[in-house]
Amino acid sequence: MASNIKIRAKVKNGETTVKSLMSHEMETGMRKDKKTGELIPAHFIQEVTGKWNDTVVMKALWSGGVSKNPYLSFKFNGGEPGDTIEIAWVDNKGNTDSATAEIS
Amino acid sequence: MIDEKPQLETEQLDAARRRVLQGSLGAGAMGLAVGAGLLSPQALLAAWPEAAFKAKDQAAALSELLGSDAVETSDAINIKAPDIAENGAVVPVTVSTDLEGVKTITIFAMGNQAPLIASFELAEQAAPFVSTRIKMAKTADVVAVVQTQDGLLSNSKEVKVTIGGCGG
């Protein structure tokens, strides 16, 4: 499956800014289906890892309180154009996705 | 998502939500993941602090998550969020600080049923900055808690929510 994560990473004055968009419904498990009245099962990203080359610089723990199709931005000191940024997530059903991009 | 639920259902929904929260949802979701024969789901999911995310108040969530709920207010933490959010389903929140040695940044929406939204562990190289978009059920404070070697510091910013964004 092609990854549904978009990543932009830019280095400026020695600091790299990473911006990413993930495609996920982020269902809290507290919402009701309007037609059936049944609760819609929880389905959300629980953990996101941000890597610079082989180093984990950011690890996020999330609830279903993060908006649908999550946006995430973080920064770190260092980074050169051409270095690899990897974003990976795992959701509460054990699904995963990951993508890489080069710092520009 | 929020405009799908008529106001009249709120009471009913709240009751149902309580049952689910108290019931087997967590175990069920975990069971699903394990049952699907995924690559070491325990290893992947064990780190996710379920009790913290289900906690009904900030103190309980912080205790579960960071082992302490002793928080001091600090103006050194900047929270960038709209004064008024028309759509509670998508509220942009950016937290940054000049504090040194920041280990974690944690975001709460105090009006939500489960206020703990997200917690970010930052490595040495990381700058003390995170930006994301959160759901807010109603007008409430967005609270950011920053963990340094010296303990927990926090700041808050009220966001007025026109239409709640948690489906309840």
Side-chain angles (χ1 to χ4, degrees):
Chain A
M1 187 183 88
S3 174
N4 279 316
I5 306 176
K6 290 192 179 99
I7 307 171
R8 293 268 184 285
K10 267 188 183 172
V11 61
K12 193 180 174 188
N13 300 329
E15 184 178 71
T16 301
T17 300
V18 179
K19 294 179 181 178
S20 62
L21 268 176
M22 291 153 245
S23 178
H24 202 285
E25 59 181 321
M26 297 301 284
E27 195 59 69
T28 58
M30 302 176 186
R31 222 162 54 91
K32 249 183 191 176
D33 185 308
K34 204 174 161 190
K35 286 179 191 138
T36 65
E38 299 284 316
L39 281 168
I40 303 167
H43 188 202
F44 57 89
I45 294 174
Q46 287 189 319
E47 210 176 302
V48 186
T49 310
K51 274 188 185 176
W52 165 33
N53 291 334
D54 289 327
T55 308
V56 174
V57 289
M58 189 280 325
K59 197 176 100 180
L61 299 170
W62 283 358
S63 72
V66 173
S67 301
K68 184 178 179 176
N69 296 330
Y71 167 80
L72 169 66
S73 175
F74 60 94
K75 297 178 180 181
F76 63 89
N77 297 309
E80 298 282 340
D83 283 0
T84 302
I85 298 295
E86 182 186 330
I87 304 268
W89 59 250
V90 55
D91 70 18
N92 67 319
K93 293 183 178 177
N95 299 322
T96 62
D97 195 6
S98 69
T100 59
E102 283 187 2
I103 297 176
S104 63
Chain B
M1 50 180 20
I2 25 115
D3 27 15
E4 287 169 23
K5 186 186 65 60
Q7 286 294 330
L8 285 171
E9 272 181 41
T10 305
E11 280 304 312
Q12 204 185 345
L13 180 68
D14 278 351
R17 175 199 291 161
R18 259 171 232 123
R19 280 200 299 280
V20 166
L21 277 172
Q22 286 157 5
S24 60
L25 180 70
M30 202 63 100
L32 252 179
V34 176
L38 298 147
L39 196 76
S40 61
Q42 286 92 344
L44 288 167
L45 294 175
W48 194 74
E50 187 173 348
F53 280 109
K54 287 195 170 174
K56 298 276 187 287
D57 61 78
Q58 187 197 22
L62 278 177
S63 295
E64 290 287 346
L65 187 72
L66 303 172
S68 166
D69 63 359
V71 182
E72 275 183 51
T73 304
S74 169
D75 288 338
I77 301 164
N78 302 312
I79 302 172
K80 196 176 143 196
D83 293 329
I84 298 172
E86 281 183 23
N87 183 356
V90 186
V91 183
V93 175
T94 300
V95 179
S96 62
T97 176
D98 291 330
L99 293 165
E100 299 279 330
V102 173
K103 292 177 184 169
T104 65
I105 294 176
T106 304
I107 298 172
F108 293 89
M110 300 304 272
N112 289 13
Q113 187 96 357
L116 175 57
I117 301 287
S119 186
F120 301 85
E121 295 171 24
L122 303 174
E124 257 176 61
Q125 301 89 343
F129 166 97
V130 289
S131 183
T132 187
R133 297 193 291 229
I134 70 170
K135 297 175 194 167
M136 292 184 69
K138 59 184 179 191
T139 296
D141 279 349
V142 171
V143 173
V145 176
V146 169
Q147 182 189 28
T148 70
Q149 284 178 340
D150 302 328
L152 305 180
L153 297 166
S154 87
N155 207 349
S156 62
K157 180 185 192 313
E158 191 192 48
V159 176
K160 287 191 166 44
V161 176
T162 316
I163 306 168
C166 281

